[in-house]
């Protein structure tokens, strides 16, 4: 089936979404089987990457539309990503009136292990939401439109916030929309080149955002 997906972005996105749902449903079972504390690492973060790998099994089926860029431009994007994380942290501090905390740092795992797992999770999610959804979606609409829609859906489908009520869900969804637009504004180059600043921004927000959202509300 994947061999017929090139030039059919809607079908490709539909296939990826179904695969994402399947892997996301299996993630809690894997989490329990491996006895991994949720505060240390959420296995569901790997679901977008798993779905993407299956889509990428046939490279000819995917619209590889992003071309490489120079090392200088990649460095610029990386610096902008770090600035974006610092800026967002400052904004959260002003809104909440508190210094942003790094969520999960004291989760019980060595700091190097914890940060390594969080880096893996951020990279895995970016492979899916930027690597597949954004790149394929640009076959259908302007990059900013795709980015905003993908960012909102990504945030709204974080089921952990649903139990807190509608307001936290909307705040988180709007925040991830802003994150997505920031990423797609600053990144450039090939898929792997774009994943570097994208993962930096995503990792930074993952570390500061969960507790900050609770403080805001």
């Amino acid at each position: 089936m994947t061999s017929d997906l090139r030039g059919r972005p809607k079908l490709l996105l539909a296939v990826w979404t179904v695969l994402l749902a399947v892997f996301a449903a299996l993630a809690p079972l894997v989490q329990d089987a491996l006895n991994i504390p949720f505060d240390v690492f959420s296995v569901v973060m790997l679901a977008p990457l798993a779905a993407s790998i299956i889509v990428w099994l046939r490279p000819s089926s995917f619209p590889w539309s992003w071309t490489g860029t120079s090392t200088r431009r990649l460095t610029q994007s990386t610096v902008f990503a770090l600035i974006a994380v610092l800026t967002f942290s400052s904004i959260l501090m002003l809104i909440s009136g508190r210094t942003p905390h790094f969520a999960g740092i004291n989760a019980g795992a060595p700091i190097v292990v914890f940060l390594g797992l969080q880096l893996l999770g951020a990279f895995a999610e970016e492979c899916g939401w930027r690597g597949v959804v954004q790149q394929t979606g640009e076959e259908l609409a302007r990059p900013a439109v795709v980015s905003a829609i993908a960012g909102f859906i990504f945030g709204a489908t974080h089921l952990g916030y649903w139990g807190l009520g509608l307001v936290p869900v909307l705040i988180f969804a709007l925040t991830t929309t802003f994150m997505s637009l920031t990423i797609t504004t600053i990144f450039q180059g090939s898929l792997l080149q774009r994943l570097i600043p994208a993962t930096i921004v995503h990792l930074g927000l993952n570390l500061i955002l969960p507790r900050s959202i609770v403080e805001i509300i």
Side-chain angles (χ1 to χ4, degrees):
M1 178 178 59
T2 54
S3 61
D4 298 324
L5 295 180
R6 186 173 179 83
R8 303 176 68 181
K10 291 181 181 179
L11 179 58
L12 194 152
L13 288 172
V15 169
W16 182 85
T17 301
V18 171
L19 291 170
L20 174 66
V22 171
F23 286 120
L26 293 174
L29 301 178
V30 176
Q31 187 105 29
D32 292 340
L34 298 178
N35 196 29
I36 301 175
F38 185 81
D39 287 342
V40 174
F41 182 69
S42 176
V43 175
V44 74
M45 296 174 75
L46 299 178
L49 175 59
S52 300
I53 289 174
I54 292 181
V55 169
W56 290 335
L57 284 177
R58 291 284 188 88
S60 60
S61 72
F62 192 76
W64 302 97
S65 57
W66 291 343
T67 57
T69 189
S70 65
T71 301
R72 181 177 64 84
R73 289 183 179 274
L74 176 59
T75 301
Q76 289 176 344
S77 295
T78 303
V79 171
F80 286 148
L82 294 171
I83 293 174
V85 172
L86 293 175
T87 301
F88 196 79
S89 299
S90 300
I91 293 174
L92 285 177
M93 182 174 64
L94 291 174
I95 294 176
S96 66
R98 302 181 184 182
T99 302
H101 302 283
F102 292 103
I105 288 294
N106 299 317
I111 184 65
V112 174
V113 174
F114 172 77
L115 290 177
L117 289 173
Q118 295 306 308
L119 177 63
L120 172 63
F123 174 81
E125 291 188 319
E126 285 304 312
C127 281
W129 289 96
R130 243 58 62 186
V132 173
V133 175
Q134 181 68 36
Q135 191 167 191
T136 305
E138 289 180 6
E139 301 287 309
L140 300 169
R142 297 173 64 87
V145 174
V146 178
S147 180
I149 294 174
F152 188 86
I153 294 175
F154 171 72
T157 51
H158 274 64
L159 304 184
Y161 286 97
W162 287 19
L164 299 177
L166 179 61
V167 173
V169 172
L170 287 177
I171 291 176
F172 188 76
L174 291 174
T175 302
T176 53
T177 300
F178 178 73
M179 177 192 78
S180 180
L181 287 169
T182 299
I183 290 172
T184 52
T185 297
I186 65 176
F187 73 1
Q188 52 189 315
S190 65
L191 171 58
L192 289 178
Q193 288 177 320
R194 295 183 188 222
L195 283 175
I196 294 174
T199 300
I200 290 173
V201 174
H202 197 137
L203 174 64
L205 296 192
N206 275 356
L207 291 175
I208 65 174
L209 191 56
R211 188 173 297 182
S212 297
I213 290 291
V214 175
E215 290 174 350
I216 290 173
I217 62 175

